[in-house]
Amino acid sequence: MRISRIARTAAAATAAALLAAGCGSGGTAGSTSGHGGLNPPKLPMLQSLGPGEGQVNLVAWAGYAEDGSDDKSVDWVHPFEQQTGCKVNTKIAGTSDEMVSLMKTGQYDAVSASGDATLRLIAAGDVAPVNTALVQNYADVFDGLKNQPWNSVNGQMYGIPHGRGANLLMYRTDKVTPAPDSWSVVFDGASPYSGHVTAYDSPIYIADAALYLMRTRPELGIKNPYALDQDQLKAAVDLLKTQHKAIGEYWSDFQKSENSFKTGDTVVGTTWQVIANMAQTDHAPVKAVLPKEGATGWSDTWMVSAKAAHPNCAYQWMNWIVSPTANAQVAQWFGEAPANAKACDRTTDKDFCNTFHAADEAYWKDVHYWTTPVKSCLDGRTVACTDYAAWTAAWTEIKG
Amino acid sequence: MAPPPTAARPLRRAASVLHRRAGLRLALLLSAPMAWLVLAYLGSLAVLLLSAFWAVDDFTYDVERVWNTANFSTVLTEPVYRAIALRTLGIAVAVTVIDAVVAFPMAFYMARVARPRTRKLLVVAVLTPLWASYLVKAYAWRVIFSQGGVLDWLVGPLGLSSPGYGTTAVIVVLAYLWLPYMILPVYSGLENLPANLLDASADLGASAGRTFRSVVLPQVLPSVFAGSVFTFSLSLGDYVTVRIVGGKTQVLGTAIADNVTLNLPLAAALSCVPVVLIVGYLLAVRRTGALESL
Amino acid sequence: MKSDDSPPHPDRPAGAVRLEGLAKSFDGRVRAVDGVDLEIGEGEFFAMLGPSGSGKTTVLRMIAGFERPTAGRVLLGGVDVTALPPFDRDVNTVFQDYALFPHMTIEQNVGYGLMVRRVPKAERAERVRAALAMVRLEGFERRRPAQLSGGQRQRVALARALVNRPKVLLLDEPLGALDLKLRHEMQAELKRIQREVGITFVFVTHDQDEALTMSDRVAVFNAGRIEQVGSPAEVYEHPATAFVAGFVGTSNLLDGAAAEQVVGETGLFSVRPEKIRIAHPDDPAGPDELSATGRVAEVVYAGGHTRFLVDLEAGGRLTAVRQNLDEGSADVLRHRGTDVVLAWQRKHTVRVGP
């Protein structure tokens, strides 16, 4: 989809424009409707790297800061500690929402935020701009990940890209025939699998429905699955309510999801590459594909807290986690495409970057990364779009 | 006679002061639990209630301490929350009824039929599942309800299949999890029932069924209500079991959990619903005199 | 040994309750009741007396139907009811601790048996009222058992049983939980009620006074068996065994050498203390009297009478009782250590063993 790239650029521009226009409403937002776009408070960024503070507190997805406790051979935390003298304290978060709330406490230095958390953190002033000049390995990060609407404002990076993945369509090859190549199998065509369909349990999943509608019902005029006006949201919600009848369970715990596919309680639904890999390792007859409509996805960014007590260690961590070796390790462990181009040479599986389409920009073109929906439409329209609060309410309603 | 060691004197003096003043003694004794009750328990409830009147920013989700009742009107007017509240209530009532019906014969056997030694073993057997982790039990049920799982295998020959994950599974698992909380009060109620009341009833011409209805049930009912306080309120507040075997079922617990990380005020307003339901239930139960059998 | 097994009212047809070879063992081991044969007549006030564990309560529970006999039969009015459950037997029970239903009012308690048997409401109300009137508890209809005193509860239990007009009323230690004064009142009350309703009362007691004062006949139980059945006077005056002599009244036995010397026969003999006259050593015994010399070992002053424990020269010890007609306590205590002669009429010497 050619348009998505443009849409993203447009969104960035819109966000920047709003940043300029929306000064002064930050403090009491929510009481008025004028708060939709990005209006980050002016925060200083680190100008030069000083000596490490001896420790760093991270909020991370499971598997992003492994210290060998899950698998002895999977450890990129201890080498970091030895090299920098910064002791790593990790708090695992389960959802983007949890990450946002943890960062609001101000007790953490850095966070591995997904695209649906980043903008919220930026707008709230919870994270500071990042001086990429101080992160040596930033130079090797794929260009497709730099200066994106979910990690930058007005050309200013607010974090260091970590890696990316797509939300794929997984199905049981023995139960779902013919092999699906479209999301329709979980929407309009879900009835044969009623009670055994799964979907990601988060308001952000509404974008998956919107993406499907974007292709199947062009008359709705959806240009960006994260920029939905009232009518478009309603269409997506209706689609999801229909889907609800076929749903067996929603998932947010990746291990539970893998287990459901393995037992056959779930036969088709959205997934991550890492789950597909795990299920196949366990000999479950499953396959994961990127359907013809494209997919939503996630691109994670390491961000630094505005109140970081250990900013120098946080910068060193960011530099470390996108260094070729560590980035290759984390990408392989979690099952995602690394952000650092040079990481592809360090993977143990030489085909890894191909499997995960690390350098395949054409592949990512069809992947719409999670972005927080805001009132000011990300696709550049001047109508009012629905924000994440509306999506959250809609999601509760969909699940009944 | 040697004077007492000086170090002991202040202690002895304090002890004698305490001995004379019963009020002071009581105050010292109760201050720690009272502080706990007021600060930790009532305090957290007060904060919960208070935060329900706050708002959050639509985008950044910063909590804003602006006094408003929007969260309550959302909870009360949105049909989805009403549906969720009713569903949760239905589950809690179903679990309570099932537990009462299942617990009664088990408790009756334990209290009235089994020999003393068997009785002790049975009490232990009823209590043993409480030692196992709640999560382990819930996941075990997930396996049982699974596609091609134990339940499918059991009822398959009858032409039936597992109901799968959903409300039915939630009710079954919660009824299993809370059953000991029903059995124990009913058991103790039945055990305290004087045997000669049953003899007297039979002596006056009542059959076993009549005795059960007119003598046993009315007197053990308070114990059943006491047990139902546990099964009802635990079911009302549960969300872990729902997450594990509930499939797509939404209950108050999951709705609160979904909101608690970011929209604390809405979560707080939502959690007032089970609080109100439980308080209402307790008031209703109190009229039966069941709280005295707790 | 003299015993009379026939009811004292030969004009009434016999056989309200008949027990044949009744036995009961618990857990297959303890023989709580070990072969009891008994016939209780219509309208009798019958006492089953014995120490605790003697099997009397178990026999009562087998008559009521709460326990199934291990062997033997229970007949009520000539009909074998051994296999019938309690609710199919035409008897009612007054329990030791009354067993009133705490969740019902007095009215509901008393009316329970009638309600269960589907007696019409109006008749039920009338009978409940009459039963409460008989036990003098009018006005207590709406109260609950917890609001009544022990004596009142006792009356409720009585009314609850009698309102059903059973052929036989069973009472299990009915007065055991009452204090002495109330017990005497209730004894009279029970007698009055039994005369009024005219049905058979079978009551279990361990209190010999209660058994002697209230009943027409007494069965003395020991170790699961009946030692003696008879009227109170027979049981008291002519105990059949040493156990009966000891349990009913004070044990006062002459044995071995003492028996030979004093009575002139070998065997075991009983003399009731109040039959014994304390005489001076030089005071001769009468022609029909037996006498024994001894020394007063102990003097027990008991208000209305005094008990003298006398060690006999011939061996053994006898107790003699004397009314305190004109002596105070200081006077009677002087007798300790003095030599005395005990004398009693020959006919009051009862052989209770070989």
Side-chain angles (χ1 to χ4, degrees):
Chain A
M1 290 188 60
R2 238 163 287 119
I3 198 155
S4 62
R5 193 78 187 268
I6 304 160
R8 256 180 264 139
T9 320
T14 315
L18 276 157
L19 169 62
C23 283
S25 70
T28 56
S31 49
T32 64
S33 60
H35 187 87
L38 275 187
N39 181 26
K42 284 263 179 279
L43 291 168
M45 62 182 181
L46 202 63
Q47 292 305 328
S48 62
L49 213 51
E53 294 89 350
Q55 60 171 329
V56 61
N57 300 324
L58 306 177
V59 173
W61 292 109
Y64 271 24
E66 289 294 311
D67 58 2
S69 52
D70 289 316
D71 184 331
K72 274 206 174 73
S73 65
V74 180
D75 182 1
W76 52 90
V77 164
H78 284 117
F80 169 73
E81 289 176 338
Q82 279 154 23
Q83 192 174 318
T84 63
C86 299
K87 190 182 169 331
V88 175
N89 308 308
T90 308
K91 167 75 185 171
I92 304 291
T95 63
S96 287
D97 290 348
E98 197 183 337
M99 283 188 171
V100 172
S101 72
L102 283 171
M103 288 310 285
K104 285 193 186 304
T105 66
Q107 288 167 17
Y108 299 93
D109 301 310
V111 59
S112 63
S114 293
D116 55 337
T118 49
L119 291 187
R120 288 188 263 164
L121 292 169
I122 295 169
D126 292 328
V127 293
V130 168
N131 189 345
T132 53
L134 302 180
V135 181
Q136 190 196 330
N137 288 316
Y138 181 70
D140 301 325
V141 170
F142 289 109
D143 282 342
L145 292 170
K146 288 178 178 171
N147 282 312
Q148 295 300 319
W150 64 88
N151 61 18
S152 67
V153 172
N154 215 6
Q156 170 61 53
M157 284 299 284
Y158 271 77
I160 302 298
H162 166 100
R164 54 187 166 176
N167 297 314
L168 304 176
L169 176 66
M170 181 147 78
Y171 62 95
R172 288 269 300 216
T173 52
D174 56 338
K175 302 260 173 77
V176 180
T177 49
D181 66 342
S182 162
W183 288 114
S184 69
V185 72
V186 296
F187 291 118
D188 299 329
S191 50
Y193 313 110
S194 193
H196 304 288
V197 177
T198 195
Y200 185 58
D201 189 5
S202 164
I204 209 73
Y205 183 72
I206 292 173
D208 286 52
L211 178 76
Y212 177 72
L213 291 173
M214 194 160 92
R215 291 297 297 261
T216 54
R217 290 180 60 194
E219 74 277 11
L220 289 169
I222 299 174
K223 300 280 188 293
N224 177 328
Y226 302 98
L228 306 178
D229 60 32
Q230 280 296 346
D231 295 339
Q232 293 165 339
L233 178 65
K234 188 178 178 305
V237 167
D238 288 345
L239 180 62
L240 289 168
K241 279 184 176 168
T242 313
Q243 183 198 42
H244 180 76
K245 298 186 186 101
I247 293 284
E249 331 181 65
Y250 293 94
W251 70 274
S252 55
D253 175 338
F254 72 99
Q255 280 168 328
K256 213 173 98 184
S257 173
E258 188 237 331
N259 189 266
S260 280
F261 269 104
K262 225 162 56 186
T263 57
D265 288 302
T266 295
V267 300
V268 67
T270 183
T271 195
W272 295 337
Q273 185 71 52
V274 62
I275 301 175
N277 294 353
M278 281 165 53
Q280 280 163 351
T281 308
D282 288 345
H283 307 293
V286 295
K287 208 171 168 207
V289 294
L290 183 69
K292 62 186 181 192
E293 293 90 357
T296 58
W298 34 277
S299 178
D300 291 346
T301 307
W302 281 98
M303 308 180 106
V304 178
S305 169
K307 295 176 194 140
H310 317 98
N312 293 305
C313 274
Y315 267 74
Q316 293 193 57
W317 169 259
M318 289 197 296
N319 191 44
W320 174 263
I321 199 68
V322 295
S323 66
T325 308
N327 203 222
Q329 283 175 301
V330 72
Q332 284 194 101
W333 174 247
F334 191 77
E336 63 188 339
N340 190 322
K342 289 182 180 167
C344 291
D345 303 331
R346 310 288 179 94
T347 54
T348 48
D349 171 7
K350 288 304 155 202
D351 252 2
F352 184 80
C353 275
N354 287 336
T355 311
F356 283 86
H357 311 277
D360 185 358
E361 288 304 325
Y363 173 89
W364 296 112
K365 192 166 58 67
D366 283 343
V367 176
H368 297 260
Y369 301 122
W370 284 342
T371 307
T372 310
V374 290
K375 285 206 171 96
S376 162
C377 296
L378 293 168
D379 59 4
R381 287 183 293 162
T382 50
V383 297
C385 272
T386 50
D387 61 6
Y388 193 63
W391 285 37
T392 308
W395 187 243
T396 308
E397 192 191 324
I398 289 161
K399 290 203 290 175
Chain B
M1 191 175 141
T6 46
R9 267 190 200 156
L11 268 180
R12 288 191 68 95
R13 203 173 303 145
S16 74
V17 166
L18 280 180
H19 181 75
R20 286 194 303 271
R21 301 187 54 184
L24 184 64
R25 219 158 60 214
L26 195 66
L28 280 175
L29 194 67
L30 289 182
S31 54
M34 282 304 284
W36 171 257
L37 187 72
V38 171
L39 292 176
Y41 188 71
L42 296 178
S44 64
L45 269 181
V47 168
L48 178 80
L49 191 63
L50 196 64
S51 60
F53 290 99
W54 293 339
V56 290
D57 183 286
D58 307 3
F59 183 63
T60 62
Y61 284 88
D62 285 326
V63 170
E64 290 166 350
R65 296 172 186 192
V66 184
W67 185 263
N68 74 96
T69 55
N71 292 312
F72 286 104
S73 64
T74 301
V75 169
L76 293 176
T77 57
E78 286 289 332
V80 65
Y81 289 118
R82 204 172 312 140
I84 290 173
L86 284 176
R87 181 183 305 128
T88 312
L89 190 65
I91 289 172
V93 168
V95 168
T96 301
V97 169
I98 289 173
D99 274 348
V101 169
V102 173
F104 217 105
M106 289 178 76
F108 190 85
Y109 183 85
M110 283 163 65
R112 291 267 158 219
V113 183
R115 284 155 187 273
R117 192 190 298 166
T118 323
R119 182 178 307 171
K120 270 179 210 144
L121 285 175
L122 286 172
V123 171
V124 170
V126 166
L127 287 174
T128 312
L130 293 178
W131 300 349
S133 158
Y134 168 100
L135 273 179
V136 169
K137 287 181 283 182
Y139 272 107
W141 278 97
R142 186 175 165 85
V143 173
I144 290 172
F145 275 107
S146 140
Q147 195 71 9
V150 180
L151 195 59
D152 266 352
W153 176 75
L154 274 176
V155 300
L158 308 172
L160 302 169
S161 67
S162 160
Y165 307 132
T167 312
T168 311
V170 169
I171 292 173
V172 169
V173 175
L174 288 180
Y176 159 79
L177 286 172
W178 311 143
L179 187 59
Y181 297 101
M182 181 65 90
I183 290 182
L184 290 179
V186 174
Y187 163 72
S188 107
L190 282 168
E191 206 185 22
N192 290 335
L193 187 70
N196 61 14
L197 289 190
L198 306 188
D199 285 347
S201 179
D203 185 72
L204 292 166
S207 61
R210 179 85 216 192
T211 300
F212 179 81
R213 275 202 315 277
S214 298
V215 177
V216 178
L217 205 55
Q219 292 194 74
V220 182
L221 217 48
S223 302
V224 176
F225 281 124
S228 80
V229 169
F230 294 111
T231 59
F232 184 79
S233 51
L234 288 171
S235 303
L236 215 52
D238 186 85
Y239 81 99
V240 177
T241 295
V242 182
R243 281 276 155 85
I244 294 171
V245 298
K248 59 188 176 184
T249 308
Q250 277 203 112
V251 294
L252 285 170
T254 59
I256 293 166
D258 285 343
N259 280 296
V260 82
T261 44
L262 275 186
N263 198 343
L264 183 68
L266 181 61
L270 267 174
S271 51
C272 289
V273 177
V275 169
V276 166
L277 288 174
I278 288 167
V279 168
Y281 191 76
L282 284 176
L283 288 177
V285 162
R286 198 179 64 140
R287 300 180 62 119
T288 70
L291 299 188
E292 281 90 66
S293 14
L294 274 178
Chain C
M1 162 172 159
K2 196 179 163 199
S3 167
D4 178 9
D5 278 352
S6 66
H9 304 289
D11 51 317
R12 289 192 175 126
V17 178
R18 186 183 168 86
L19 309 178
E20 295 177 354
L22 206 58
K24 175 74 184 175
S25 39
F26 291 102
D27 295 338
R29 279 175 283 125
V30 190
R31 298 278 280 182
V33 176
D34 195 6
V36 165
D37 295 286
L38 191 63
E39 179 130 9
I40 301 170
E42 296 272 359
E44 255 198 290
F45 201 122
F46 192 89
M48 300 205 284
L49 174 68
S52 62
S54 61
K56 57 191 191 304
T57 295
T58 307
V59 169
L60 191 83
R61 289 176 63 79
M62 286 192 283
I63 299 172
F66 304 138
E67 308 282 357
R68 187 66 75 84
T70 316
R73 300 202 302 159
V74 177
L75 292 92
L76 294 175
V79 180
D80 187 344
V81 298
T82 315
L84 291 185
F87 48 85
D88 284 336
R89 299 188 184 197
D90 201 1
V91 299
N92 283 113
T93 308
V94 175
F95 290 86
Q96 183 171 6
D97 46 8
Y98 319 136
L100 300 181
F101 304 124
H103 60 293
M104 296 183 194
T105 62
I106 300 314
E107 199 172 25
Q108 287 167 332
N109 262 286
V110 176
Y112 184 78
L114 300 177
M115 180 195 71
V116 164
R117 298 199 193 279
R118 300 214 164 78
V119 173
K121 215 168 180 176
E123 186 193 340
R124 199 197 309 167
E126 174 51 32
R127 280 170 69 174
V128 168
R129 196 200 53 74
L132 284 174
M134 182 167 60
V135 297
R136 296 174 185 165
L137 275 181
E138 299 101 328
F140 288 79
E141 287 83 356
R142 306 271 169 215
R143 300 215 194 162
R144 283 178 193 274
Q147 296 166 299
L148 301 189
S149 71
Q152 289 167 332
R153 284 181 218 178
Q154 221 285 324
R155 292 159 192 261
V156 174
L158 204 56
R160 183 178 68 174
L162 288 172
V163 76
N164 304 296
R165 297 173 186 161
K167 293 242 169 58
V168 177
L169 183 72
L170 306 173
L171 303 101
D172 185 7
E173 301 267 6
L175 310 176
L178 303 180
D179 61 44
L180 192 63
K181 196 159 177 287
L182 207 50
R183 190 154 27 173
H184 286 312
E185 263 177 56
M186 280 309 294
Q187 285 175 2
E189 191 81 2
L190 272 178
K191 281 299 281 181
R192 172 184 68 80
I193 289 168
Q194 199 255 347
R195 273 195 307 274
E196 268 181 49
V197 297
I199 61 172
T200 308
F201 275 33
V202 179
F203 87 109
V204 156
T205 182
H206 65 271
D207 183 328
Q208 45 149 327
D209 288 339
E210 209 167 277
L212 296 179
T213 53
M214 294 171 71
S215 52
D216 297 328
R217 281 198 305 154
V218 181
V220 183
F221 279 74
N222 182 34
R225 294 170 179 276
I226 294 178
E227 298 254 337
Q228 186 176 7
V229 180
S231 68
E234 283 164 353
V235 169
Y236 185 80
E237 305 279 353
H238 301 285
T241 64
F243 174 83
V244 175
F247 190 75
V248 185
T250 310
S251 176
N252 229 15
L253 297 175
L254 286 168
D255 191 4
E260 229 166 296
Q261 202 175 321
V262 175
V263 186
E265 291 173 48
T266 54
L268 182 61
F269 299 91
S270 163
V271 192
R272 291 302 181 192
E274 69 279 0
K275 311 289 187 198
I276 299 173
R277 186 165 61 83
I278 301 172
H280 287 291
D282 48 354
D283 189 4
D288 294 334
E289 278 188 330
L290 299 178
S291 68
T293 55
R295 173 167 293 177
V296 177
E298 201 66 65
V299 180
V300 181
Y301 174 75
H305 64 268
T306 302
R307 281 201 298 280
F308 296 86
L309 278 61
V310 179
D311 287 338
L312 302 184
E313 258 170 32
R317 170 180 278 196
L318 284 180
T319 303
V321 169
R322 197 165 74 184
Q323 292 296 313
N324 293 333
L325 294 175
D326 51 16
E327 284 181 310
S329 65
D331 302 323
V332 295
L333 289 175
R334 271 189 295 107
H335 293 291
R336 183 180 297 160
T338 57
D339 288 331
V340 291
V341 172
L342 300 182
W344 62 93
Q345 298 198 358
R346 179 173 281 279
K347 62 179 178 183
H348 290 140
T349 311
V350 181
R351 180 187 283 274
V352 294

